[in-house]
Amino acid sequence: MPEENEIIQPESLIDVKNVLLVGSGKGGVGKSTIAVNLAAAFKRDGLEVGIMDADIYGPSIPPMLGISGPPGVKNEKMVPPVGHGIKIMSIGFLTREDDALIWRGPILHKVLKQFIEEVNWGHLDWLVVDLPPGTGDVQISLAQMLIAGGALMVTTPQDIAWRDVRRAATMFDKVDIPIVGLVENMSFFVCPNCGEVTGIFPQPAGDAKREVAEGVFIETLARIPIEPSIAASSEKGMPIVLAEPESETAKIFMELAKKIAGKFSK
Ligand SMILES: Nc1ncnc2c1ncn2[C@@H]1O[C@H](COP(=O)(O)OP(=O)(O)OP(=O)(O)O)[C@@H](O)[C@H]1O
Ligand SMILES: [Mg+2]
């Protein structure tokens, strides 16, 4: 018998090898973009991948993967729609686009529970969970419902965004979910004409300095450029990792996927 408060992996995730949460302290830093490209990178490596869009207030995974649902139903379980070979579950399949969701506490918990337990996820090597920004009810609820192998933090390079990451990292720590590392998004811009590299935001002081200053060390696993085609490909429903597989950016994502897999295998 499990002890009280002990978290056990739900039946529906029994055949899911790795659960990776993608979170951030701040909104709009590129979590969903990183989540879909990472999922695509795992897929390109020949793995079975699912994405759970846990951003129930602002679901953006379905359009980013060019899928509008709805899920099928089989044996009283939802069957996730598939986009680019990736199984997807999102509240965006079940609500109208202009519905304002104000679920909190118990109802929110119930909806998330359905997304996990009443979905036929089947066999997956990776289930990537796209979180809403911050440290709210969704994060806490999820942590009580499933066992995640780790959380990937996303930030932009400014110091303020970084401070928000630290806050989020503290929250994950409290719920015993290890942080696998950090992705610094919109890190730099490469001029398409001359190739010159420009930092868009004030550049951070480097990992070592951060460690001293913040009292936490989170390894930076990748730096992603700010690039029109990253946004454009998401907009068209095909992550850049699939749309431009030979691009430098796709290579950065493939490398990131490898690093994360390495961390999980330890
Ligand atoms: N590296 C990038 N280069 C160019 N555009 C980007 C990049 N990363 C993200 N974007 C764009 O920035 C916007 C916000 O990205 P995204 O939706 O992934 O952020 P988010 O952190 O998931 O936001 P939210 O907190 O609202 O869930 C999107 O339009 C996306 O296409
Ligand atoms: Mg998002």
Side-chain angles (χ1 to χ4, degrees), residues 132-153:
T135 55
D137 290 354
V138 170
Q139 285 80 350
I140 304 292
S141 277
L142 273 179
Q144 294 167 346
M145 261 177 237
L146 52 73
I147 300 169
L152 180 71
M153 302 301 302

Side-chain angles (χ1 to χ4, degrees), residues 24 26-34 55 58 60 64 130-133 154 185-187 224-232 234-235:
S24 73
K26 233 170 77 121
V29 293
K31 281 174 302 302
S32 305
T33 305
I34 305 297
D55 191 347
S60 47
M64 283 184 175
D130 183 34
L131 295 173
V154 181
N185 190 25
M186 310 192 198
S187 225
I224 313 284
I226 183 161
E227 191 181 308
S229 54
I230 293 181
S234 283
E235 210 66 25

